[in-house]
Amino acid sequence: MSAPSYTLPKLPYAYDALEPHISAQIMELHHSKHHQTYITNLNAALKSQAEAVHTSDITVQVSLQQGIKFNAGGHINHSLFWQNLAPASSSDAKSSAAPQLLKQIKATWGDEDKFRDAFKAALLGIQGSGWGWLIKVETGKEERLAIVTTKDQDPIVGKGETPIFGVDMWEHAYYLQYLNGKAAYVENIWNVINWKTAEERFLGSRADAFKILKASI
Amino acid sequence: MNSTLLRSTALRSALRTAAPKSAARAGIAGTTFVRGKATLPDLPYDYGALEPAVSGQIMELHHSKHHQTYVTSLNNFSEQLAEAQHKEDIQSQIALQPLINFHGGGHINHTLFWENLAPTSQGGGEPPSGQLSKAINDSYGSLDAFKEKFNTALAGIQGSGWAWLVQDTQTGNIQIKTYANQDPVVGQFRPILGIDAWEHAYYLQYQNRKAEYFKAIWEVVNWKAAEKRFQ
Ligand SMILES: [Fe+2]
Ligand SMILES: [Fe+2]
């Protein structure tokens, strides 16, 4: 009846490394409390699910689905998010660290600024909690980029979809620093986007993007 | 503000402080509709009056910034909707519906919320009496048992939203319901008492410890306002 157990991934930088764009206080709470809570709740739900599978209790299995989706989504999204951020002073935080991706962005949106404007507008259009993502969609031999928003903790798991980078638009992601001024957060986040990671996800497979999520059993 | 939003008595009474300076004018297809600007209602207490349950800083931002933004956006999209109706542009009208729901809902929800809170010096936290008290005891056993159920509902919201004590307009029964984002209590249900579970409602004071906010908020719940909404 063993269920997989997920653990909080270490941040690839210090809590204060994204200042002044994201404060250390936000990063510490966000990583050590919010992300940890998704993992704790996910592990508990997976344990209940394993028991329900073992006892062939289908109604319990179904009733657990929404909680698993929410908490697993929270774990997936935040794990990807930490990796797709980098200190502003790092060369990874320059879009020149993603030459192939940038080429595709320009082919899709005209230029980098137009892409950023479209992404920012998508982020600010989210009603309630959610995320904005740049994703790669593979349809047969074709590969294209798209900006999508997801509600609450819905993860990017659609057929052929690979997340390139995401921005957390829950209020806990910015409120202590930006208060109701989410437009400023949406502006400043560009200083700490990890374009090197973005390039790797763009060139790699879906499995590569998600490899950080391997559970310990 | 669209007149259909004001159909329920509870809402009309809650929104009276924000009564639009309405001007009736002939609408399309021979119907009349009322157009007026929604306005931010004054709080019936000071920003600091709900401390220590809710900090003055939270109240000020929540009322003067968040609620104001819903009001401003509602007026903006209502105007666009009237324009689209005038032009008989159905596509635009449909595209505007979610925005009216969100910002109109934000305006309605917060207006009701400010009213169903009160400083302890003005009756905040005093238990309900009369018919509402009886209905709560009949349905939940006791006020404490009700609060526990309500807090469980609040804690179970995945993302932003509200929990409401509502009254079923068909049966008269009360129940606890959660609503996503700014979805307002309309239709079959009448709002009696609502608690904002968006992070902006508590984060500056409670951060991730939202259970503490849900516990503390009952110290400033204005049951008198809830009783007036209950029929
Ligand atoms: Fe988050
Ligand atoms: Fe709110």
Side-chain angles (χ1 to χ4, degrees), chain B residues 14 16-18 39-51 54-68 107 109-119 122 162 220 222 229:
Chain B
R16 71 186 179 279
T17 44
T39 53
L40 184 68
D42 286 336
L43 275 196
Y45 38 78
D46 292 337
Y47 286 135
L50 303 185
E51 292 192 350
V54 184
S55 74
Q57 190 194 9
I58 288 179
M59 288 303 295
E60 180 164 1
L61 282 162
H62 203 170
H63 177 259
S64 71
K65 303 292 183 186
H66 290 278
H67 190 169
Q68 180 62 62
H107 175 42
N109 288 337
H110 287 91
T111 301
L112 292 166
F113 183 51
W114 309 137
E115 275 201 354
N116 69 220
L117 298 178
Q122 293 172 34
W162 292 72
V220 290
N222 180 358
R229 294 172 190 163

Side-chain angles (χ1 to χ4, degrees), chain A residues 135-180:
Chain A
I135 66 167
K136 177 176 73 173
V137 190
E138 293 173 66
T139 48
K141 281 207 152 53
E142 285 257 284
E143 216 177 73
R144 58 184 179 84
L145 293 176
I147 296 165
V148 295
T149 60
T150 53
K151 68 174 175 60
D152 304 327
Q153 293 297 355
D154 288 357
I156 301 291
V157 290
K159 195 164 179 287
E161 294 177 354
T162 304
I164 307 290
F165 62 78
V167 176
D168 190 344
M169 287 305 290
W170 282 58
E171 290 175 319
H172 66 234
Y174 62 84
Y175 208 83
L176 292 177
Q177 187 176 354
Y178 294 94
L179 309 174
N180 60 302

